Amino acid sequence: AAHKDRSSLPIAIKANELAADNKGKTAIFSGKVVAKQGDITIYADRLIINYGDKKNDVEKIEANGNVRIVQESRIGTATHAVYESKLGRITLTGNPKIMQGADTMSGNIITYFIDEDRSEVSSGAGRPVEVVIHPTGKKGNAGTR
Amino acid sequence: AVPMPTEGNISINSDSMSQDTANEVFTATGHVTIRWQGMTLTADKATYDRKTRVLHATDNVLVVKGDETLRGNSIKLDMDTGRGELEKGTLNSTTSNVTFIGEKITRINDNEVELTTTELTTCDLPDPSWKFGADHLKVNLLGYAVGRGVTFYIKDVPVLYLPWMAFPVVRERKSGLLFPRMGYSSNRGAQLDIPLYLVISPSQDLVLDLDFETKRGVGTGVDYRYIWNRGSEGRFGGYLIYDLLKDRWRGQMNLNHKEIFSPTMNVRADINLDSDRSFQGDFGEKSGDYNRQSNDTVVNALKTWQNYALSGYLRFAEDLYAADNSHTLQTLPEVSLAGVRQQIPSIPVYFDLDSSVANLYREVDPTGQRLTAFPRLTYVTGLPGYLNASAYAGLHVRGYTTQDSPGGTTKENDGDLLPELGARASTSLSRVYDIGGTALKKLRHEITPELSYTYAPNHDQSRLPFYDYNDRLVGQNIISASVTSFLGGKFQTGDTTTYRDISLIRLTQGYSAGGTRRDLLTMVDANRPWTDLTLQSETWLHPLAKFTIDARYNLYDKRFSSTAPGVELDDKQGNSAALSYRMARNQVEYLEGKLATKYFTPWTLGYTTRYSFDRPGFLESVYSVEYRQKCWSVNVSIGDRPGSHFSFHFGFNLEGLMTSK
Amino acid sequence: CGYRFAGTAGNTLATGQSIWVAFIVNETVSPTAQTVIRRALYEESHTMRGLYPADKEAAADLRVRGKLASYTLKAVSYSAADQVKEYRLTISVDLELHKKGGTAPVWKGTVQAFQDFPASTDLALQHNAEEAALKAASRTLADRFLVTVEQAY
């Protein structure tokens, strides 16, 4: 399924400190950062936003330290995450984990395609792909929250 | 190792994984390992659909659960029902080392598997020495397989076709020869015995066999084993043949049944009946059958409480050595009540009781009912730790009602009272020796000297009917001394410590002042004041070598009145030897030897012989040879007995299917 | 000489205690084994360790439970006419020893003993000999049990 370009969606960020660098067109937030765009919320210690050519166009968000990304019933955690809103793709590295209801997925790198509702987990650096699926009744919904 | 997921969870490891959350399909590729409820599945690729809960795994599929392994190139596993369908795979289970190859293997649940166009063998693949092919096979891994359209191949040559067949798969309970046994014996002629194995349910199985004998005709045998429910089980065996030599039906029946109502209440029956008195002699193949002394039918009922046991007992015996069975005493039935160590309150005196009421029958006189009771009080005392003493006094009470007594010497109702008293004194001394040897670290030696005295007045009982020795109690006035030595060792090899008995030696000597005595355990008591000096001993020269010797030395004649040395060696790897010599002066002198060796593997040689010095000559010699391979074995045994009794048996076994390990 | 009386030998079964032996569970063809073996365990525990029978199971310092695993007769000698002259009675009992207050058994294992006895032309008299053999084998079994329990030196 073709992905929608999400870069034009408004983004709201809360943080203790902000350091903007107009020339580099980047903004660095640090200290209990919370960034919300559409149905995705990103929590992290530090957030670097790279703006696109057009003003207020968010091309890429880099999150570092205790990263938590929440979308509906899915929660992703890692030490480092890159959200490319143009490509509708989030890449989690550094002990990445996705919890979907009671199912959990972990590996070396997790790539999540937001609009295709699909995620890819690959192993490497001694970390195998590990998925634990909690059996729910066939009729049960996608997972008890 | 990765911990097993909790009960229901499915854990998937792989090189990479993609999850299509919309229609909830996980796709794992590269070194996929799936763990679920004790099962481990590995494959190159696997997809799992959360909605239908169906897992597909392909390429190098290996499923291991418990002692069962499934291999194939693709499997479809329904995680709800546990049902798995494997294409072109093999299934083997380590408990029964049977391998199944099948076009399609359907694993219905943990214990049941169905296979289509399948082959089964216990030999190593790829080209097994034998195999069964079957269009359809249903295997219950608890015990048996049922096949349709079964062909038996030796190498790849079809040898036998059976439209339907059931055979044992897992060994513990199932045994019984499935393959024909051929042979010849002088009193049965050429013999072909074909067993057919029928399984009725996991807890009942039946082996029928047809026994063709050129001299005797065609016999049918049945061996039915059952466990009806916990505590009610048994085994029924039977054989019936129309004997051409004797022109009549002959056979035997034996039933062994247990009904366990509770740990303190049960009924046990062991019924053995033959059609005629010479059946064992004509049809018995091994020693213990063809020279059997009696066929006994015994039924026991038992109920115990804290101090008392009530038992009902019935015995019917057929004396095969006697000319006829008319003199054999039958107990139809006997009810007995026994009391054990019931304490008289607050004093160290204990009440014991043995009592019974029996209905005794035989074809010759006298027959009738007998009541016996032997209540006694035992005073238990001593200097705790140094000297242990006890004394008892009791009364033998007997009552008889006798029918049609011969010559009128016994009255219709009669009875008798006879006191008995005795005492015992003993102590025990022990010491631990530090040896510090390479293997033997310590020795513990204990000596138990003991003195005992028994007194019962001499008393004429000739007027009482005579059924057994309880009707002729002997007067006694006998002191006996005994000393028993127990030697045990503490052995250490590596860091494992084991304790083992090394020897138990008991010496006994008695003196009876007047009166007689009756030692039921020997044939050679000359009944003189000094008894024989009696030795009983068991010694383990080595954990695998046991030496026993019982002997009686006559002090007056200064020679052994009986001696019975015996040695048993067994290296637990198939090599064993046993030799036993038994001499009781003027009664018996006999030697028995057994030898089995796997020295010439894969051949196993066996030799058993029984020699009578009284004859003198061999009573029997049996030579056996077995050629054993991983999945089949052939055994030949030749039996030779004097009086032109010769027998030869040839058996072919499919290892792992028939012979119980 | 280094030998010490049972009282001072520091045995596992200290002398002078009270012992309760339950009836041996018996599922064999023998009608009397449960009583004969139980009595032998009482008698030998007194002759070797000076133990007294307890009047109730609950009050006993020591408790013994057992199951008669096998009671087998085997011919061990034959006459010139190949007729049985002597039998060997072998009994094997699974035994457990418990101490007061303890739930797990102090000792658990299988003990065996055998006794030979002569055959007789009268099966009833032979049956008396078999009962005498059971008494003798039970005594050896009880002795061996009491000594084996001390295997902790």
Side-chain angles (χ1 to χ4, degrees):
Chain A
H3 65 274
K4 291 196 301 299
D5 176 353
R6 287 172 163 265
S7 56
S8 57
L9 282 176
I11 185 161
I13 299 170
K14 250 186 358 176
N16 295 352
E17 282 170 47
L18 165 61
D21 156 15
N22 281 331
K23 191 162 55 52
K25 290 202 269 348
T26 59
I28 303 170
F29 301 84
S30 49
K32 287 202 195 64
V33 181
V34 177
K36 212 163 170 350
Q37 186 191 44
D39 58 2
I40 292 178
T41 317
I42 303 176
Y43 304 82
D45 299 343
R46 238 160 70 80
L47 209 70
I48 306 159
I49 298 197
N50 301 52
Y51 293 102
D53 307 339
K54 288 204 300 301
K55 186 101 178 68
N56 287 338
D57 228 1
V58 172
E59 195 183 278
K60 188 170 81 168
I61 304 176
E62 243 183 281
N64 286 311
N66 297 314
V67 178
R68 227 158 77 82
I69 303 175
V70 177
Q71 187 200 24
E72 287 159 10
S73 65
R74 250 181 321 289
I75 301 163
T77 59
T79 51
H80 178 67
V82 174
Y83 170 31
E84 294 149 300
S85 47
K86 237 188 200 10
L87 306 172
R89 186 173 70 185
I90 304 176
T91 311
L92 303 168
T93 52
N95 194 359
K97 207 165 186 186
I98 284 194
M99 275 147 304
Q100 160 92 33
D103 301 348
T104 63
M105 284 209 294
S106 57
N108 187 31
I109 302 168
I110 299 184
T111 316
Y112 175 61
F113 303 91
I114 304 163
D115 307 314
E116 288 166 39
D117 216 352
R118 186 166 61 81
S119 42
E120 296 275 344
V121 187
S122 62
S123 61
R127 293 185 56 73
V129 168
E130 163 101 36
V131 170
V132 178
I133 302 167
H134 191 73
T136 52
K138 270 205 186 120
K139 303 164 291 309
N141 50 35
T144 48
R145 267 184 289 290
Chain B
V2 177
M4 275 300 167
T6 53
E7 182 44 33
N9 279 2
I10 306 155
S11 126
I12 307 174
N13 288 66
S14 61
D15 292 348
S16 70
M17 159 81 67
S18 81
Q19 181 203 15
D20 173 348
T21 16
N23 37 41
E24 297 190 54
V25 172
F26 290 87
T27 309
T29 42
H31 302 100
V32 180
T33 308
I34 298 173
R35 266 181 274 283
W36 174 63
Q37 284 183 346
M39 176 195 78
T40 309
L41 185 149
T42 51
D44 294 351
K45 190 169 179 300
T47 63
Y48 174 66
D49 179 331
R50 261 185 71 73
K51 279 205 294 301
T52 60
R53 289 169 52 74
V54 166
L55 175 89
H56 275 281
T58 49
D59 309 336
N60 303 319
V61 175
L62 172 67
V63 181
V64 177
K65 177 159 190 181
D67 50 28
E68 206 193 291
T69 23
L70 263 169
R71 263 188 204 77
N73 41 37
S74 94
I75 188 166
K76 175 164 152 297
L77 191 57
D78 178 330
M79 300 303 223
D80 243 347
T81 61
R83 182 186 168 89
E85 277 152 28
L86 186 80
E87 305 299 334
K88 279 199 270 316
T90 65
L91 158 71
N92 52 46
S93 113
T94 44
T95 44
S96 65
N97 67 45
V98 178
T99 308
F100 302 89
I101 312 150
E103 274 305 304
K104 185 156 179 276
I105 300 180
T106 310
R107 196 176 167 288
I108 301 165
N109 54 44
D110 279 354
N111 296 323
E112 268 185 301
V113 178
E114 254 177 65
L115 304 99
T116 46
T117 51
T118 173
E119 286 168 1
L120 117 86
T121 179
T122 57
C123 306
D124 288 338
L125 300 176
D127 62 31
S129 316
W130 60 265
K131 64 187 179 199
F132 283 97
D135 306 338
H136 177 270
L137 193 66
K138 191 153 186 221
V139 180
N140 169 332
L141 287 170
L142 272 182
Y144 55 92
V146 179
R148 284 203 305 277
V150 177
T151 313
F152 177 67
Y153 298 86
I154 293 187
K155 284 288 172 192
D156 283 326
V157 175
V159 168
L160 184 70
Y161 174 79
L162 295 160
W164 179 91
M165 186 171 183
F167 39 84
V169 170
V170 176
R171 293 289 355 103
E172 313 87 10
R173 211 162 37 80
K174 305 282 179 308
S175 71
L177 283 179
L178 189 62
F179 237 75
R181 228 162 68 96
M182 282 150 273
Y184 167 82
S185 72
S186 42
N187 54 12
R188 297 170 80 161
Q191 203 181 341
L192 175 64
D193 183 24
I194 301 179
L196 177 63
Y197 190 90
L198 295 168
V199 170
I200 300 162
S201 77
S203 58
Q204 296 176 75
D205 60 50
L206 179 71
V207 178
L208 290 172
D209 69 286
L210 282 177
D211 178 31
F212 299 92
E213 299 175 0
T214 51
K215 277 193 180 160
R216 301 271 184 184
V218 179
T220 53
V222 64
D223 177 17
Y224 167 56
R225 277 200 267 211
Y226 55 91
I227 302 177
W228 284 333
N229 51 46
R230 216 201 64 72
S232 168
E233 57 185 85
R235 179 175 191 169
F236 171 80
Y239 180 79
L240 190 63
I241 183 168
Y242 187 81
D243 184 352
L244 301 173
L245 279 184
K246 297 273 176 72
D247 250 340
R248 58 181 162 81
W249 286 100
R250 302 179 71 191
Q252 69 174 351
M253 181 284 262
N254 37 62
L255 170 68
N256 190 306
H257 180 80
K258 277 199 285 195
E259 202 68 37
I260 313 297
F261 300 105
S262 76
T264 61
M265 190 163 137
N266 63 42
V267 174
R268 301 103 57 195
D270 186 22
I271 298 169
N272 299 287
L273 301 168
D274 289 354
S275 58
D276 53 277
R277 299 169 54 75
S278 56
F279 176 82
Q280 292 299 339
D282 294 345
F283 288 88
E285 278 174 7
K286 46 188 186 15
S287 170
D289 291 342
Y290 62 78
N291 50 15
R292 185 183 300 175
Q293 178 183 14
S294 72
N295 261 334
D296 295 284
T297 289
V298 176
V299 178
N300 273 305
L302 174 66
K303 170 66 181 149
T304 58
W305 293 269
Q306 286 289 326
N307 286 86
Y308 286 87
L310 181 67
S311 94
Y313 163 72
L314 175 142
R315 168 187 285 269
F316 174 79
E318 179 87 35
D319 186 337
L320 302 176
Y321 287 171
D324 57 52
N325 211 35
S326 58
H327 288 76
T328 312
L329 189 71
Q330 314 297 3
T331 309
L332 303 168
E334 176 178 84
V335 176
S336 57
L337 179 69
V340 176
R341 289 303 196 262
Q342 171 103 41
Q343 185 169 7
I344 310 298
S346 75
I347 50 172
V349 175
Y350 299 85
F351 171 73
D352 278 85
L353 171 70
D354 287 310
S355 65
S356 75
V357 176
N359 174 42
L360 302 166
Y361 171 78
R362 56 190 162 194
E363 285 160 30
V364 299
D365 302 330
T367 63
Q369 294 69 42
R370 173 177 74 184
L371 174 130
T372 65
F374 180 42
R376 51 200 185 277
L377 288 172
T378 308
Y379 171 59
V380 174
T381 182
L383 309 169
Y386 295 93
L387 177 68
N388 308 310
S390 67
Y392 73 90
L395 187 66
H396 288 286
V397 180
R398 285 169 293 174
Y400 300 86
T401 54
T402 312
Q403 289 86 30
D404 46 54
S405 58
T409 56
T410 51
K411 296 201 292 292
E412 217 227 328
N413 293 304
D414 208 334
D416 187 81
L417 292 175
L418 189 73
E420 176 186 323
L421 46 91
R424 240 176 130 173
S426 64
T427 186
S428 142
L429 295 142
S430 63
R431 174 176 176 181
V432 177
Y433 294 85
D434 282 318
I435 308 295
T438 47
L440 175 60
K441 295 302 177 193
K442 288 186 182 173
L443 276 176
R444 180 178 186 279
H445 184 225
E446 177 163 0
I447 297 184
T448 318
E450 181 183 333
L451 264 176
S452 74
Y453 171 68
T454 311
Y455 170 76
N458 218 328
H459 169 52
D460 174 25
Q461 298 149 68
S462 56
R463 71 180 196 293
L464 300 175
F466 179 62
Y467 299 114
D468 61 25
Y469 285 134
N470 291 319
D471 309 317
R472 295 293 183 276
L473 298 176
V474 285
Q476 292 183 76
N477 186 3
I478 181 166
I479 290 181
S480 100
S482 80
V483 64
T484 313
S485 147
F486 306 89
L487 188 63
K490 176 177 183 178
F491 297 84
Q492 204 149 12
T493 43
D495 52 15
T496 52
T497 309
T498 51
Y499 292 91
R500 278 203 299 272
D501 285 354
I502 294 176
S503 77
L504 189 160
I505 301 169
R506 172 171 287 150
L507 268 173
T508 316
Q509 169 77 68
Y511 178 78
S512 41
T516 56
R517 62 174 175 269
R518 178 185 293 137
D519 184 343
L520 289 171
L521 299 179
T522 177
M523 305 185 255
V524 287
D525 183 0
N527 235 317
R528 291 152 74 173
W530 287 99
T531 70
D532 288 348
L533 176 62
T534 307
L535 164 72
Q536 279 184 300
S537 81
E538 266 180 87
T539 311
W540 283 267
L541 311 169
H542 175 278
L544 304 172
K546 175 174 165 185
F547 173 68
T548 58
I549 177 156
D550 292 1
R552 298 175 64 98
Y553 184 77
N554 186 318
L555 301 175
Y556 300 93
D557 310 342
K558 302 256 179 306
R559 60 180 181 182
F560 282 99
S561 42
S562 79
T563 171
V567 65
E568 287 163 35
L569 311 167
D570 185 345
D571 71 358
K572 298 281 188 283
Q573 268 121 36
N575 301 305
S576 67
L579 197 63
S580 133
Y581 168 79
R582 299 190 68 89
M583 183 281 286
R585 198 165 297 287
N586 309 324
Q587 292 286 341
V588 70
E589 189 175 5
Y590 170 80
L591 181 76
E592 188 169 315
K594 278 197 185 65
L595 177 70
T597 176
K598 270 202 159 63
Y599 185 73
F600 310 99
T601 44
W603 298 89
T604 307
L605 308 179
Y607 172 65
T608 311
T609 185
R610 301 188 305 110
Y611 182 84
S612 164
F613 294 88
D614 303 325
R615 186 178 278 260
F618 285 94
L619 294 175
E620 178 190 33
S621 294
V622 179
Y623 312 85
S624 70
V625 176
E626 183 179 59
Y627 179 79
R628 181 180 288 271
Q629 287 294 345
K630 174 180 190 288
C631 56
W632 59 274
S633 67
V634 174
N635 56 65
V636 176
S637 76
I638 296 162
D640 179 20
R641 276 163 46 204
S644 72
H645 282 274
F646 168 81
S647 76
F648 156 83
H649 284 288
F650 169 82
F652 174 85
N653 283 327
L654 302 180
E655 274 315 302
L657 269 190
M658 264 70 62
T659 49
S660 42
K661 287 269 179 310
Chain C
C1 64
Y3 280 84
R4 287 178 294 167
F5 284 99
T8 57
N11 289 331
T12 313
L13 288 181
T15 57
Q17 297 180 87
S18 67
I19 183 170
W20 174 272
V21 181
F23 271 108
I24 304 299
V25 173
N26 176 15
E27 293 169 7
T28 71
V29 290
S30 164
T32 58
Q34 71 281 343
T35 307
V36 174
I37 298 174
R38 179 182 187 190
R39 230 181 238 135
L41 283 163
Y42 272 128
E43 266 155 32
E44 297 310 303
S45 65
H46 179 66
T47 43
M48 289 181 68
R49 294 289 180 269
L51 304 181
Y52 288 75
D55 61 2
K56 277 198 295 301
E57 179 163 17
D61 299 325
L62 301 165
R63 280 176 300 115
V64 174
R65 301 200 145 275
K67 171 169 185 183
L68 180 58
S70 69
Y71 175 94
T72 49
L73 282 171
K74 177 173 163 304
V76 286
S77 71
Y78 289 88
S79 66
D82 204 353
Q83 294 195 336
V84 183
K85 286 295 277 186
E86 288 168 303
Y87 284 97
R88 170 165 296 181
L89 168 64
T90 305
I91 53 175
S92 168
V93 182
D94 304 332
L95 284 165
E96 265 184 35
L97 171 68
H98 292 260
K99 279 198 170 161
K100 192 170 197 170
T103 50
V106 171
W107 185 87
K108 183 173 158 65
T110 302
V111 184
Q112 270 208 348
F114 70 87
Q115 175 62 50
D116 299 345
F117 64 94
S120 160
T121 50
D122 180 332
L123 289 178
L125 305 183
Q126 181 171 307
H127 199 56
N128 297 144
E130 182 181 332
E131 288 299 316
L134 173 60
K135 261 200 196 70
S138 302
R139 178 190 170 192
T140 310
L141 183 118
D143 290 350
R144 180 166 282 145
F145 166 66
L146 291 163
V147 167
T148 310
V149 160
E150 296 304 334
Q151 286 178 347
Y153 44 90

